[in-house]
Amino acid sequence: MTKDEWYRQLFEKLDNSKFRSSFHLKQKDIDYINQKGLDTIRQHAKDFIAKREAPAFIANDGKQTPMRGHPVFIAQHATATCCRECIRKWHKMQPGRELSQVQQDYLVDIIMTWIQKELERQKKKL
């Protein structure tokens, strides 16, 4: 399966989830992204994944990602990259093991792909 095929299937499943598909960027999130730029947002996503998701054991797992306050947090809930249990269920990465750099890069790419889709969705509304 190619990356494009995997992403297409993943995003179809996420779109079909009532919970996951309920998340969208608000105008203040879009303004923040436009102000900071996508490279900075990607760096924030890398930092959040490295600190909050990559360790083998996370003391507050399941509660480490706020529901608001940063566009990446919204994207993490929309893409099931918000806690190790969601990552296990949706992305097949087992908890109890530190995430490799390849796994972290994949999660960041999923987050950024969702953010790009949201930006495109907002442009179509205008």
Side-chain angles (χ1 to χ4, degrees):
M1 178 179 300
T2 67
K3 175 185 167 182
D4 288 343
E5 290 169 334
W6 171 257
Y7 277 33
R8 184 182 51 71
Q9 285 182 9
L10 173 65
F11 281 99
E12 277 179 18
K13 288 178 187 173
L14 291 167
D15 288 344
N16 288 327
S17 164
K18 187 175 181 178
F19 179 71
R20 301 287 165 204
S21 65
S22 71
F23 291 94
H24 295 287
L25 294 178
K26 293 183 171 41
Q27 189 58 50
K28 68 180 173 110
D29 299 315
I30 292 167
D31 293 344
Y32 183 81
I33 292 167
N34 290 333
Q35 177 191 3
K36 296 293 183 182
L38 286 172
D39 289 341
T40 298
I41 300 301
R42 179 177 288 277
Q43 189 56 54
H44 292 173
K46 284 181 181 182
D47 292 344
F48 293 149
I49 292 295
K51 291 177 181 143
R52 298 170 183 247
E53 308 302 337
F57 296 99
I58 302 159
N60 62 339
D61 193 29
K63 295 178 177 35
Q64 71 265 46
T65 305
M67 297 290 252
R68 60 183 174 273
H70 197 288
V72 171
F73 296 155
I74 307 307
Q76 283 185 265
H77 289 291
T79 59
T81 58
C82 48
C83 70
R84 289 302 292 268
E85 178 56 24
C86 291
I87 291 170
R88 180 201 63 76
K89 180 181 174 185
W90 287 84
H91 304 283
K92 311 299 184 225
M93 296 178 195
Q94 295 307 309
R97 291 185 220 164
E98 187 173 337
L99 296 178
S100 71
Q101 191 58 56
V102 170
Q103 289 172 315
Q104 291 179 54
D105 291 345
Y106 161 80
L107 295 175
V108 169
D109 195 50
I110 293 293
I111 290 165
M112 294 307 297
T113 299
W114 183 86
I115 287 173
Q116 289 278 20
K117 287 175 176 282
E118 277 292 292
L119 293 174
E120 290 168 17
R121 188 178 77 83
Q122 287 288 22
K123 280 182 189 174
K124 287 178 184 173
K125 284 176 128 179
L126 299 177

